Amino acid sequence: MNQPGRRARDLGIVVGSLPTGRHNAMTDVPGVLVGHTTVDDGADLHTGVTAIVPEQLGTGRGTLPAAVYAGNGHGKLVGSTQVDELGVLESPVVLTATLSVFRAADALLGHLMERRPDGLSFNPLVGETNDGHLSDIRRRPITETHVLAALAGATGGLPAEGCVGAGAGTTALGYKAGIGTSSRTVRAVGRTQTVGALVQSNFGGVLTALGVPLPVDELVPAADRAEPPGNSCMIVVATDVPLDARQLRRLARRAVFAMARVGASFSNTSGDYAIAFTTSDQPPIPDAAIDPVFAGVLDAVEEALLNSLFTAVTTTGVGGRTSHAVPHRAAVERLAAAGRLTARPYA
């Protein structure tokens, strides 16, 4: 299969009724940037780094309200306990491969130390999923240069999705997956604000779009359906809605819930984590006004997860193992037959 990646909406797959931001991406939250470094030798290495960089941390604010939720803690989310304890984020969020997470954390630490030469304590936040199914993970190819390049290259606009950065070698729901992003605008206490999500998909289950199962054994009968080891998912949620750490933990919890909408199996080895932060420095909204924000998180994460699969391309990696992309035409035909599409791109 040699098809280009396409976002879910380009295929007529629209999640929910809430409007998206301008780019339908995490970067629609003002001041939130995304950067990637991809390490791909066309053979045994398919890995990289993805960095989420809130510009607000560089404008005199040392921390942002934040929270972490572990749906299943079978993972290595470096720095999570301090975020959980203090309720603040004090670094960009970096995502990479499982065995490179510690080198990435050290590189991010160096970045933080350079920015604050008098500091004696820092809390770099680095998450991971295991891309060892397609990439030679034991080589630990991620270096400080890769991490710093992702940080320095972080920009606004629509980030690259699919087989880039920390998603270069991931597999989810039986198909090639990667990085995906989406956003929603919501009304809370009389103001229109934004919720954005970015995911690194690498987990098991049966792909489901808009309630319609799209199993790999039916859409790609010849696919290798061996379950990759250490399958997991990292979800990062950003917003400019004023929230405190307790409320952000509630957002993070719902971000993990959204995985069920796309067919996640939540297996024993799936380290499923969500990080949520706000760029606002205003007093938090009341809980009575938070329901639209919850709805925005669920829809944005669901669509980000779908984007992470539909934008990915078929990849052959270490050991000759291949993860096949979701076949767009077959998926669209099945969704159309179920009456779930807003458009028919292959009609």
mmCIF file of all heavy atoms in Angstrom, residues 219-272:
data_model
loop_
_atom_site.group_PDB
_atom_site.id
_atom_site.type_symbol
_atom_site.label_atom_id
_atom_site.label_comp_id
_atom_site.label_asym_id
_atom_site.label_seq_id
_atom_site.Cartn_x
_atom_site.Cartn_y
_atom_site.Cartn_z
ATOM 1 N N LEU A 219 -9.632 -5.420 6.823
ATOM 2 C CA LEU A 219 -9.257 -4.392 5.845
ATOM 3 C C LEU A 219 -7.903 -4.669 5.201
ATOM 4 O O LEU A 219 -7.655 -4.262 4.064
ATOM 5 C CB LEU A 219 -9.265 -3.015 6.507
ATOM 6 C CG LEU A 219 -10.608 -2.261 6.443
ATOM 7 C CD1 LEU A 219 -11.711 -3.009 7.167
ATOM 8 C CD2 LEU A 219 -10.452 -0.856 7.010
ATOM 9 N N VAL A 220 -7.006 -5.329 5.940
ATOM 10 C CA VAL A 220 -5.686 -5.703 5.386
ATOM 11 C C VAL A 220 -5.432 -7.160 5.760
ATOM 12 O O VAL A 220 -4.672 -7.454 6.698
ATOM 13 C CB VAL A 220 -4.561 -4.797 5.930
ATOM 14 C CG1 VAL A 220 -3.253 -5.037 5.152
ATOM 15 C CG2 VAL A 220 -4.933 -3.322 5.858
ATOM 16 N N PRO A 221 -6.064 -8.110 5.070
ATOM 17 C CA PRO A 221 -5.976 -9.518 5.482
ATOM 18 C C PRO A 221 -4.561 -10.057 5.571
ATOM 19 O O PRO A 221 -4.286 -10.956 6.380
ATOM 20 C CB PRO A 221 -6.774 -10.242 4.380
ATOM 21 C CG PRO A 221 -7.697 -9.214 3.832
ATOM 22 C CD PRO A 221 -6.943 -7.913 3.904
ATOM 23 N N ALA A 222 -3.635 -9.511 4.769
ATOM 24 C CA ALA A 222 -2.262 -10.034 4.763
ATOM 25 C C ALA A 222 -1.384 -9.392 5.829
ATOM 26 O O ALA A 222 -0.199 -9.719 5.936
ATOM 27 C CB ALA A 222 -1.633 -9.804 3.390
ATOM 28 N N ALA A 223 -1.933 -8.500 6.641
ATOM 29 C CA ALA A 223 -1.116 -7.771 7.615
ATOM 30 C C ALA A 223 -0.599 -8.693 8.711
ATOM 31 O O ALA A 223 -1.264 -9.657 9.114
ATOM 32 C CB ALA A 223 -1.933 -6.642 8.237
ATOM 33 N N ASP A 224 0.603 -8.396 9.193
ATOM 34 C CA ASP A 224 1.152 -9.054 10.376
ATOM 35 C C ASP A 224 0.440 -8.467 11.587
ATOM 36 O O ASP A 224 0.579 -7.288 11.896
ATOM 37 C CB ASP A 224 2.658 -8.793 10.458
ATOM 38 C CG ASP A 224 3.275 -9.343 11.743
ATOM 39 O OD1 ASP A 224 2.579 -10.071 12.483
ATOM 40 O OD2 ASP A 224 4.447 -9.022 12.007
ATOM 41 N N ARG A 225 -0.329 -9.294 12.281
ATOM 42 C CA ARG A 225 -1.129 -8.787 13.393
ATOM 43 C C ARG A 225 -0.505 -9.079 14.749
ATOM 44 O O ARG A 225 -1.190 -9.053 15.777
ATOM 45 C CB ARG A 225 -2.538 -9.350 13.315
ATOM 46 C CG ARG A 225 -3.289 -8.842 12.077
ATOM 47 C CD ARG A 225 -4.721 -9.318 12.045
ATOM 48 N NE ARG A 225 -4.825 -10.761 11.869
ATOM 49 C CZ ARG A 225 -4.715 -11.368 10.693
ATOM 50 N NH1 ARG A 225 -4.454 -10.662 9.604
ATOM 51 N NH2 ARG A 225 -4.846 -12.669 10.598
ATOM 52 N N ALA A 226 0.800 -9.369 14.763
ATOM 53 C CA ALA A 226 1.483 -9.583 16.039
ATOM 54 C C ALA A 226 1.425 -8.303 16.870
ATOM 55 O O ALA A 226 1.678 -7.211 16.375
ATOM 56 C CB ALA A 226 2.942 -9.974 15.795
ATOM 57 N N GLU A 227 1.068 -8.448 18.135
ATOM 58 C CA GLU A 227 0.943 -7.285 19.020
ATOM 59 C C GLU A 227 2.336 -6.790 19.398
ATOM 60 O O GLU A 227 3.126 -7.533 19.970
ATOM 61 C CB GLU A 227 0.176 -7.674 20.284
ATOM 62 C CG GLU A 227 -0.103 -6.526 21.210
ATOM 63 C CD GLU A 227 -1.474 -5.906 20.969
ATOM 64 O OE1 GLU A 227 -2.033 -6.060 19.871
ATOM 65 O OE2 GLU A 227 -1.985 -5.271 21.895
ATOM 66 N N PRO A 228 2.674 -5.536 19.086
ATOM 67 C CA PRO A 228 3.983 -5.010 19.478
ATOM 68 C C PRO A 228 4.136 -5.011 20.995
ATOM 69 O O PRO A 228 3.160 -4.800 21.728
ATOM 70 C CB PRO A 228 3.967 -3.570 18.940
ATOM 71 C CG PRO A 228 2.927 -3.573 17.876
ATOM 72 C CD PRO A 228 1.896 -4.565 18.330
ATOM 73 N N PRO A 229 5.338 -5.229 21.505
ATOM 74 C CA PRO A 229 5.547 -5.221 22.959
ATOM 75 C C PRO A 229 5.472 -3.803 23.520
ATOM 76 O O PRO A 229 5.807 -2.835 22.844
ATOM 77 C CB PRO A 229 6.969 -5.788 23.103
ATOM 78 C CG PRO A 229 7.650 -5.409 21.828
ATOM 79 C CD PRO A 229 6.580 -5.487 20.766
ATOM 80 N N GLY A 230 5.019 -3.697 24.749
ATOM 81 C CA GLY A 230 5.051 -2.408 25.441
ATOM 82 C C GLY A 230 4.166 -1.364 24.819
ATOM 83 O O GLY A 230 4.471 -0.178 24.840
ATOM 84 N N ASN A 231 3.036 -1.801 24.239
ATOM 85 C CA ASN A 231 2.180 -0.829 23.566
ATOM 86 C C ASN A 231 1.571 0.151 24.570
ATOM 87 O O ASN A 231 1.141 -0.240 25.647
ATOM 88 C CB ASN A 231 1.093 -1.528 22.752
ATOM 89 C CG ASN A 231 0.426 -2.649 23.533
ATOM 90 O OD1 ASN A 231 0.830 -2.977 24.634
ATOM 91 N ND2 ASN A 231 -0.594 -3.237 22.957
ATOM 92 N N SER A 232 1.534 1.431 24.203
ATOM 93 C CA SER A 232 1.149 2.493 25.141
ATOM 94 C C SER A 232 0.576 3.683 24.386
ATOM 95 O O SER A 232 0.549 3.707 23.153
ATOM 96 C CB SER A 232 2.364 2.956 25.960
ATOM 97 O OG SER A 232 2.936 1.887 26.685
ATOM 98 N N CYS A 233 0.153 4.699 25.146
ATOM 99 C CA CYS A 233 -0.307 5.936 24.533
ATOM 100 C C CYS A 233 0.055 7.108 25.437
ATOM 101 O O CYS A 233 -0.139 7.048 26.654
ATOM 102 C CB CYS A 233 -1.824 5.908 24.333
ATOM 103 S SG CYS A 233 -2.470 7.312 23.391
ATOM 104 N N MET A 234 0.609 8.152 24.830
ATOM 105 C CA MET A 234 0.851 9.408 25.532
ATOM 106 C C MET A 234 -0.084 10.453 24.948
ATOM 107 O O MET A 234 -0.179 10.611 23.734
ATOM 108 C CB MET A 234 2.303 9.873 25.348
ATOM 109 C CG MET A 234 3.340 9.100 26.144
ATOM 110 S SD MET A 234 3.149 9.241 27.932
ATOM 111 C CE MET A 234 2.993 11.006 28.149
ATOM 112 N N ILE A 235 -0.793 11.153 25.834
ATOM 113 C CA ILE A 235 -1.725 12.206 25.430
ATOM 114 C C ILE A 235 -1.344 13.490 26.163
ATOM 115 O O ILE A 235 -1.170 13.483 27.384
ATOM 116 C CB ILE A 235 -3.179 11.837 25.796
ATOM 117 C CG1 ILE A 235 -3.558 10.468 25.226
ATOM 118 C CG2 ILE A 235 -4.143 12.919 25.317
ATOM 119 C CD1 ILE A 235 -4.872 9.930 25.758
ATOM 120 N N VAL A 236 -1.208 14.571 25.421
ATOM 121 C CA VAL A 236 -0.949 15.881 26.017
ATOM 122 C C VAL A 236 -2.101 16.801 25.655
ATOM 123 O O VAL A 236 -2.454 16.919 24.474
ATOM 124 C CB VAL A 236 0.390 16.476 25.546
ATOM 125 C CG1 VAL A 236 0.667 17.802 26.274
ATOM 126 C CG2 VAL A 236 1.539 15.495 25.775
ATOM 127 N N VAL A 237 -2.700 17.416 26.661
ATOM 128 C CA VAL A 237 -3.811 18.345 26.472
ATOM 129 C C VAL A 237 -3.364 19.731 26.920
ATOM 130 O O VAL A 237 -2.837 19.894 28.032
ATOM 131 C CB VAL A 237 -5.045 17.906 27.278
ATOM 132 C CG1 VAL A 237 -6.150 18.963 27.203
ATOM 133 C CG2 VAL A 237 -5.557 16.561 26.776
ATOM 134 N N ALA A 238 -3.559 20.717 26.069
ATOM 135 C CA ALA A 238 -3.257 22.116 26.402
ATOM 136 C C ALA A 238 -4.531 22.935 26.260
ATOM 137 O O ALA A 238 -5.368 22.646 25.390
ATOM 138 C CB ALA A 238 -2.176 22.670 25.476
ATOM 139 N N THR A 239 -4.670 23.954 27.080
ATOM 140 C CA THR A 239 -5.834 24.828 26.983
ATOM 141 C C THR A 239 -5.487 26.213 27.505
ATOM 142 O O THR A 239 -4.501 26.383 28.231
ATOM 143 C CB THR A 239 -7.025 24.251 27.777
ATOM 144 O OG1 THR A 239 -8.176 25.065 27.548
ATOM 145 C CG2 THR A 239 -6.732 24.198 29.270
ATOM 146 N N ASP A 240 -6.287 27.196 27.096
ATOM 147 C CA ASP A 240 -6.169 28.526 27.693
ATOM 148 C C ASP A 240 -7.368 28.822 28.596
ATOM 149 O O ASP A 240 -7.553 29.952 29.039
ATOM 150 C CB ASP A 240 -6.007 29.610 26.624
ATOM 151 C CG ASP A 240 -7.141 29.635 25.609
ATOM 152 O OD1 ASP A 240 -8.010 28.740 25.644
ATOM 153 O OD2 ASP A 240 -7.155 30.551 24.763
ATOM 154 N N VAL A 241 -8.179 27.810 28.874
ATOM 155 C CA VAL A 241 -9.250 27.956 29.867
ATOM 156 C C VAL A 241 -8.622 28.032 31.250
ATOM 157 O O VAL A 241 -7.762 27.213 31.583
ATOM 158 C CB VAL A 241 -10.225 26.767 29.797
ATOM 159 C CG1 VAL A 241 -11.314 26.906 30.864
ATOM 160 C CG2 VAL A 241 -10.846 26.644 28.410
ATOM 161 N N PRO A 242 -9.013 28.993 32.084
ATOM 162 C CA PRO A 242 -8.429 29.074 33.439
ATOM 163 C C PRO A 242 -8.887 27.889 34.293
ATOM 164 O O PRO A 242 -10.083 27.721 34.548
ATOM 165 C CB PRO A 242 -8.984 30.392 33.988
ATOM 166 C CG PRO A 242 -9.501 31.148 32.816
ATOM 167 C CD PRO A 242 -9.920 30.123 31.816
ATOM 168 N N LEU A 243 -7.949 27.059 34.698
ATOM 169 C CA LEU A 243 -8.234 25.872 35.499
ATOM 170 C C LEU A 243 -7.140 25.692 36.532
ATOM 171 O O LEU A 243 -5.991 26.114 36.315
ATOM 172 C CB LEU A 243 -8.293 24.624 34.613
ATOM 173 C CG LEU A 243 -9.352 24.605 33.496
ATOM 174 C CD1 LEU A 243 -9.079 23.459 32.541
ATOM 175 C CD2 LEU A 243 -10.758 24.498 34.073
ATOM 176 N N ASP A 244 -7.470 25.050 37.646
ATOM 177 C CA ASP A 244 -6.437 24.719 38.619
ATOM 178 C C ASP A 244 -6.000 23.266 38.407
ATOM 179 O O ASP A 244 -6.536 22.546 37.550
ATOM 180 C CB ASP A 244 -6.908 24.981 40.054
ATOM 181 C CG ASP A 244 -8.115 24.152 40.466
ATOM 182 O OD1 ASP A 244 -8.379 23.092 39.841
ATOM 183 O OD2 ASP A 244 -8.805 24.555 41.430
ATOM 184 N N ALA A 245 -5.016 22.819 39.188
ATOM 185 C CA ALA A 245 -4.449 21.489 38.989
ATOM 186 C C ALA A 245 -5.485 20.391 39.198
ATOM 187 O O ALA A 245 -5.481 19.378 38.488
ATOM 188 C CB ALA A 245 -3.259 21.288 39.918
ATOM 189 N N ARG A 246 -6.381 20.575 40.148
ATOM 190 C CA ARG A 246 -7.407 19.564 40.383
ATOM 191 C C ARG A 246 -8.305 19.424 39.159
ATOM 192 O O ARG A 246 -8.606 18.310 38.713
ATOM 193 C CB ARG A 246 -8.247 19.943 41.609
ATOM 194 C CG ARG A 246 -9.405 18.982 41.894
ATOM 195 C CD ARG A 246 -10.297 19.512 43.007
ATOM 196 N NE ARG A 246 -10.877 20.805 42.691
ATOM 197 C CZ ARG A 246 -11.955 20.976 41.937
ATOM 198 N NH1 ARG A 246 -12.571 19.936 41.401
ATOM 199 N NH2 ARG A 246 -12.433 22.186 41.713
ATOM 200 N N GLN A 247 -8.715 20.549 38.589
ATOM 201 C CA GLN A 247 -9.564 20.508 37.403
ATOM 202 C C GLN A 247 -8.812 19.950 36.201
ATOM 203 O O GLN A 247 -9.379 19.221 35.375
ATOM 204 C CB GLN A 247 -10.092 21.912 37.101
ATOM 205 C CG GLN A 247 -11.054 22.444 38.154
ATOM 206 C CD GLN A 247 -11.351 23.919 37.958
ATOM 207 O OE1 GLN A 247 -10.450 24.708 37.652
ATOM 208 N NE2 GLN A 247 -12.602 24.307 38.137
ATOM 209 N N LEU A 248 -7.532 20.263 36.094
ATOM 210 C CA LEU A 248 -6.733 19.734 34.987
ATOM 211 C C LEU A 248 -6.578 18.223 35.091
ATOM 212 O O LEU A 248 -6.523 17.531 34.072
ATOM 213 C CB LEU A 248 -5.369 20.425 34.955
ATOM 214 C CG LEU A 248 -5.419 21.869 34.462
ATOM 215 C CD1 LEU A 248 -4.155 22.614 34.859
ATOM 216 C CD2 LEU A 248 -5.616 21.926 32.942
ATOM 217 N N ARG A 249 -6.513 17.702 36.294
ATOM 218 C CA ARG A 249 -6.479 16.247 36.449
ATOM 219 C C ARG A 249 -7.780 15.636 35.949
ATOM 220 O O ARG A 249 -7.781 14.550 35.346
ATOM 221 C CB ARG A 249 -6.232 15.864 37.907
ATOM 222 C CG ARG A 249 -6.131 14.355 38.125
ATOM 223 C CD ARG A 249 -5.722 14.034 39.552
ATOM 224 N NE ARG A 249 -5.821 12.610 39.823
ATOM 225 C CZ ARG A 249 -4.911 11.700 39.490
ATOM 226 N NH1 ARG A 249 -3.807 12.072 38.860
ATOM 227 N NH2 ARG A 249 -5.077 10.429 39.777
ATOM 228 N N ARG A 250 -8.874 16.316 36.140
ATOM 229 C CA ARG A 250 -10.151 15.828 35.617
ATOM 230 C C ARG A 250 -10.132 15.828 34.085
ATOM 231 O O ARG A 250 -10.654 14.912 33.445
ATOM 232 C CB ARG A 250 -11.296 16.682 36.162
ATOM 233 C CG ARG A 250 -11.404 16.664 37.678
ATOM 234 C CD ARG A 250 -12.582 17.500 38.177
ATOM 235 N NE ARG A 250 -13.852 16.818 37.898
ATOM 236 C CZ ARG A 250 -15.036 17.416 37.934
ATOM 237 N NH1 ARG A 250 -15.118 18.729 38.180
ATOM 238 N NH2 ARG A 250 -16.134 16.731 37.702
ATOM 239 N N LEU A 251 -9.520 16.852 33.483
ATOM 240 C CA LEU A 251 -9.361 16.862 32.028
ATOM 241 C C LEU A 251 -8.489 15.699 31.567
ATOM 242 O O LEU A 251 -8.800 15.014 30.592
ATOM 243 C CB LEU A 251 -8.725 18.180 31.572
ATOM 244 C CG LEU A 251 -9.660 19.263 31.019
ATOM 245 C CD1 LEU A 251 -10.626 19.728 32.095
ATOM 246 C CD2 LEU A 251 -8.854 20.420 30.465
ATOM 247 N N ALA A 252 -7.370 15.486 32.264
ATOM 248 C CA ALA A 252 -6.445 14.413 31.881
ATOM 249 C C ALA A 252 -7.128 13.047 31.961
ATOM 250 O O ALA A 252 -6.905 12.174 31.106
ATOM 251 C CB ALA A 252 -5.214 14.457 32.772
ATOM 252 N N ARG A 253 -7.954 12.864 32.973
ATOM 253 C CA ARG A 253 -8.672 11.600 33.107
ATOM 254 C C ARG A 253 -9.574 11.370 31.891
ATOM 255 O O ARG A 253 -9.623 10.274 31.327
ATOM 256 C CB ARG A 253 -9.491 11.617 34.399
ATOM 257 C CG ARG A 253 -10.133 10.286 34.754
ATOM 258 C CD ARG A 253 -10.898 10.375 36.065
ATOM 259 N NE ARG A 253 -10.003 10.649 37.178
ATOM 260 C CZ ARG A 253 -10.075 11.726 37.947
ATOM 261 N NH1 ARG A 253 -10.976 12.657 37.711
ATOM 262 N NH2 ARG A 253 -9.236 11.879 38.949
ATOM 263 N N ARG A 254 -10.286 12.400 31.478
ATOM 264 C CA ARG A 254 -11.178 12.259 30.327
ATOM 265 C C ARG A 254 -10.402 12.060 29.033
ATOM 266 O O ARG A 254 -10.902 11.418 28.087
ATOM 267 C CB ARG A 254 -12.112 13.470 30.256
ATOM 268 C CG ARG A 254 -13.254 13.327 31.257
ATOM 269 C CD ARG A 254 -13.828 14.629 31.726
ATOM 270 N NE ARG A 254 -14.923 14.383 32.670
ATOM 271 C CZ ARG A 254 -14.738 14.127 33.976
ATOM 272 N NH1 ARG A 254 -13.519 14.084 34.485
ATOM 273 N NH2 ARG A 254 -15.783 13.899 34.765
ATOM 274 N N ALA A 255 -9.189 12.578 28.961
ATOM 275 C CA ALA A 255 -8.360 12.338 27.784
ATOM 276 C C ALA A 255 -8.077 10.847 27.610
ATOM 277 O O ALA A 255 -8.125 10.321 26.495
ATOM 278 C CB ALA A 255 -7.059 13.125 27.895
ATOM 279 N N VAL A 256 -7.791 10.158 28.702
ATOM 280 C CA VAL A 256 -7.574 8.710 28.631
ATOM 281 C C VAL A 256 -8.882 7.991 28.302
ATOM 282 O O VAL A 256 -8.897 7.021 27.525
ATOM 283 C CB VAL A 256 -6.962 8.181 29.941
ATOM 284 C CG1 VAL A 256 -6.895 6.652 29.948
ATOM 285 C CG2 VAL A 256 -5.556 8.747 30.140
ATOM 286 N N PHE A 257 -9.994 8.478 28.859
ATOM 287 C CA PHE A 257 -11.292 7.866 28.528
ATOM 288 C C PHE A 257 -11.530 7.868 27.018
ATOM 289 O O PHE A 257 -12.144 6.939 26.479
ATOM 290 C CB PHE A 257 -12.438 8.639 29.188
ATOM 291 C CG PHE A 257 -12.483 8.597 30.689
ATOM 292 C CD1 PHE A 257 -13.328 9.447 31.391
ATOM 293 C CD2 PHE A 257 -11.699 7.718 31.411
ATOM 294 C CE1 PHE A 257 -13.392 9.426 32.768
ATOM 295 C CE2 PHE A 257 -11.739 7.695 32.805
ATOM 296 C CZ PHE A 257 -12.594 8.551 33.481
ATOM 297 N N ALA A 258 -11.062 8.904 26.330
ATOM 298 C CA ALA A 258 -11.320 9.027 24.890
ATOM 299 C C ALA A 258 -10.702 7.881 24.094
ATOM 300 O O ALA A 258 -11.149 7.591 22.974
ATOM 301 C CB ALA A 258 -10.806 10.369 24.376
ATOM 302 N N MET A 259 -9.683 7.231 24.641
ATOM 303 C CA MET A 259 -9.087 6.098 23.937
ATOM 304 C C MET A 259 -10.105 4.996 23.688
ATOM 305 O O MET A 259 -10.026 4.283 22.680
ATOM 306 C CB MET A 259 -7.904 5.547 24.733
ATOM 307 C CG MET A 259 -6.699 6.466 24.814
ATOM 308 S SD MET A 259 -5.417 5.822 25.933
ATOM 309 C CE MET A 259 -5.016 4.262 25.128
ATOM 310 N N ALA A 260 -11.070 4.838 24.590
ATOM 311 C CA ALA A 260 -12.083 3.790 24.415
ATOM 312 C C ALA A 260 -12.915 4.038 23.165
ATOM 313 O O ALA A 260 -13.392 3.093 22.525
ATOM 314 C CB ALA A 260 -12.980 3.721 25.641
ATOM 315 N N ARG A 261 -13.103 5.308 22.799
ATOM 316 C CA ARG A 261 -13.919 5.632 21.626
ATOM 317 C C ARG A 261 -13.316 5.093 20.329
ATOM 318 O O ARG A 261 -14.041 4.844 19.362
ATOM 319 C CB ARG A 261 -14.089 7.140 21.508
ATOM 320 C CG ARG A 261 -14.925 7.794 22.603
ATOM 321 C CD ARG A 261 -15.075 9.270 22.287
ATOM 322 N NE ARG A 261 -15.990 9.959 23.182
ATOM 323 C CZ ARG A 261 -16.359 11.235 23.015
ATOM 324 N NH1 ARG A 261 -15.873 11.940 21.987
ATOM 325 N NH2 ARG A 261 -17.197 11.802 23.855
ATOM 326 N N VAL A 262 -11.986 4.943 20.290
ATOM 327 C CA VAL A 262 -11.343 4.455 19.063
ATOM 328 C C VAL A 262 -10.975 2.982 19.158
ATOM 329 O O VAL A 262 -10.291 2.454 18.286
ATOM 330 C CB VAL A 262 -10.098 5.307 18.700
ATOM 331 C CG1 VAL A 262 -10.489 6.749 18.470
ATOM 332 C CG2 VAL A 262 -9.008 5.192 19.758
ATOM 333 N N GLY A 263 -11.429 2.306 20.219
ATOM 334 C CA GLY A 263 -11.272 0.861 20.290
ATOM 335 C C GLY A 263 -10.103 0.342 21.093
ATOM 336 O O GLY A 263 -9.696 -0.812 20.920
ATOM 337 N N ALA A 264 -9.548 1.152 22.005
ATOM 338 C CA ALA A 264 -8.396 0.713 22.794
ATOM 339 C C ALA A 264 -8.744 -0.491 23.661
ATOM 340 O O ALA A 264 -9.838 -0.587 24.219
ATOM 341 C CB ALA A 264 -7.905 1.852 23.684
ATOM 342 N N SER A 265 -7.780 -1.413 23.803
ATOM 343 C CA SER A 265 -7.975 -2.601 24.638
ATOM 344 C C SER A 265 -7.489 -2.396 26.069
ATOM 345 O O SER A 265 -7.793 -3.199 26.945
ATOM 346 C CB SER A 265 -7.241 -3.797 24.022
ATOM 347 O OG SER A 265 -5.850 -3.523 23.908
ATOM 348 N N PHE A 266 -6.711 -1.326 26.328
ATOM 349 C CA PHE A 266 -6.195 -1.034 27.674
ATOM 350 C C PHE A 266 -5.538 -2.281 28.281
ATOM 351 O O PHE A 266 -5.878 -2.720 29.377
ATOM 352 C CB PHE A 266 -7.301 -0.514 28.587
ATOM 353 C CG PHE A 266 -7.910 0.790 28.148
ATOM 354 C CD1 PHE A 266 -9.185 0.829 27.613
ATOM 355 C CD2 PHE A 266 -7.211 1.973 28.270
ATOM 356 C CE1 PHE A 266 -9.752 2.034 27.203
ATOM 357 C CE2 PHE A 266 -7.770 3.191 27.869
ATOM 358 C CZ PHE A 266 -9.043 3.213 27.331
ATOM 359 N N SER A 267 -4.572 -2.829 27.574
ATOM 360 C CA SER A 267 -3.958 -4.090 27.997
ATOM 361 C C SER A 267 -2.984 -3.894 29.154
ATOM 362 O O SER A 267 -2.643 -2.772 29.535
ATOM 363 C CB SER A 267 -3.224 -4.733 26.818
ATOM 364 O OG SER A 267 -2.090 -3.956 26.453
ATOM 365 N N ASN A 268 -2.508 -4.993 29.682
ATOM 366 C CA ASN A 268 -1.610 -4.994 30.842
ATOM 367 C C ASN A 268 -0.378 -4.141 30.614
ATOM 368 O O ASN A 268 0.063 -3.412 31.514
ATOM 369 C CB ASN A 268 -1.196 -6.436 31.152
ATOM 370 C CG ASN A 268 -0.089 -6.515 32.183
ATOM 371 O OD1 ASN A 268 -0.240 -6.043 33.302
ATOM 372 N ND2 ASN A 268 1.038 -7.111 31.804
ATOM 373 N N THR A 269 0.219 -4.208 29.425
ATOM 374 C CA THR A 269 1.478 -3.506 29.180
ATOM 375 C C THR A 269 1.286 -2.140 28.546
ATOM 376 O O THR A 269 2.261 -1.518 28.117
ATOM 377 C CB THR A 269 2.392 -4.336 28.268
ATOM 378 O OG1 THR A 269 1.723 -4.603 27.038
ATOM 379 C CG2 THR A 269 2.780 -5.642 28.937
ATOM 380 N N SER A 270 0.054 -1.654 28.473
ATOM 381 C CA SER A 270 -0.194 -0.367 27.831
ATOM 382 C C SER A 270 -0.080 0.755 28.859
ATOM 383 O O SER A 270 -0.954 0.929 29.712
ATOM 384 C CB SER A 270 -1.587 -0.360 27.186
ATOM 385 O OG SER A 270 -1.753 0.758 26.360
ATOM 386 N N GLY A 271 1.014 1.515 28.778
ATOM 387 C CA GLY A 271 1.198 2.660 29.663
ATOM 388 C C GLY A 271 0.439 3.847 29.111
ATOM 389 O O GLY A 271 0.916 4.532 28.207
ATOM 390 N N ASP A 272 -0.747 4.073 29.629
ATOM 391 C CA ASP A 272 -1.640 5.094 29.068
ATOM 392 C C ASP A 272 -1.665 6.308 29.992
ATOM 393 O O ASP A 272 -2.240 6.263 31.088
ATOM 394 C CB ASP A 272 -3.037 4.517 28.897
ATOM 395 C CG ASP A 272 -3.028 3.254 28.048
ATOM 396 O OD1 ASP A 272 -2.299 3.233 27.037
ATOM 397 O OD2 ASP A 272 -3.726 2.289 28.409
#
